[in-house]
Amino acid sequence: MSSAAKMLETYPKDLGEVDRAALVKCIDACGECAQACTACADACLSEGSVQQLTKCIRTNLDCADMCATTSRVLSRHTGYDANLTIAILEACASACRSCGDECESHAGHHEHCRICADACRACERACRDLLASLG
């Protein structure tokens, strides 16, 4: 059981109709994606072809920031704002799609980009699944 799941179990107030499993999956996927994107950007900076990876690095860093922020916002339940939650989930899914596409274009040459693309795809799905559960 992840820390997010354990913390959610201890939350003292009713979360209403929120799909707890989808929420936990999204928080966990965002954390994993943020880490993968940060590590991929760092690996890209160590490649001999770093000039050709500029867009990938920038996209990695943007996605990592979006995922980290989304994870933090989803982890706060007091004063829940549905409009903000929906907007940030949509933005995170979009950042993950863009980063996944960019990393996928380098995956044939760089294993770190393939791993990152997979993490981005998983996070995008988790964000979209949570969005769907919110109605």
Side-chain angles (χ1 to χ4, degrees), residues 7-62:
M7 290 302 293
L8 195 58
E9 282 185 1
T10 69
Y11 194 70
K13 299 206 179 207
D14 182 19
L15 293 177
E17 300 297 316
V18 173
D19 181 337
R20 288 175 180 249
L23 178 60
V24 167
K25 184 177 178 182
C26 192
I27 292 169
D28 289 342
C30 285
E32 288 184 21
C33 192
Q35 187 281 327
C37 289
T38 300
C40 189
D42 187 61
C44 286
L45 287 168
S46 296
E47 293 287 352
S49 58
V50 70
Q51 292 293 336
Q52 297 162 343
L53 296 169
T54 303
K55 181 178 179 186
C56 191
I57 295 164
R58 186 172 294 114
T59 305
N60 284 155
L61 295 175
D62 289 346

Side-chain angles (χ1 to χ4, degrees), residues 2 4 19-34 67-68 70-72 74-75 85 88-90 92-93 96 122-131 133-134:
S2 72
D19 181 337
R20 288 175 180 249
L23 178 60
V24 167
K25 184 177 178 182
C26 192
I27 292 169
D28 289 342
C30 285
E32 288 184 21
C33 192
C67 289
T70 300
S71 177
R72 287 192 305 271
L74 293 178
S75 295
T85 300
I88 199 161
L89 284 168
E90 289 172 345
C92 189
C96 288
C123 190
E124 179 184 5
R125 277 190 307 276
C127 287
R128 296 208 186 282
D129 288 348
L130 183 56
L131 275 166
S133 79
L134 297 174

Side-chain angles (χ1 to χ4, degrees), residues 97-113:
R97 185 185 66 250
S98 294
C99 190
D101 290 348
E102 180 62 27
C103 280
E104 201 168 88
S105 73
H106 303 286
H109 300 306
H110 306 292
E111 181 67 6
H112 54 84
C113 286

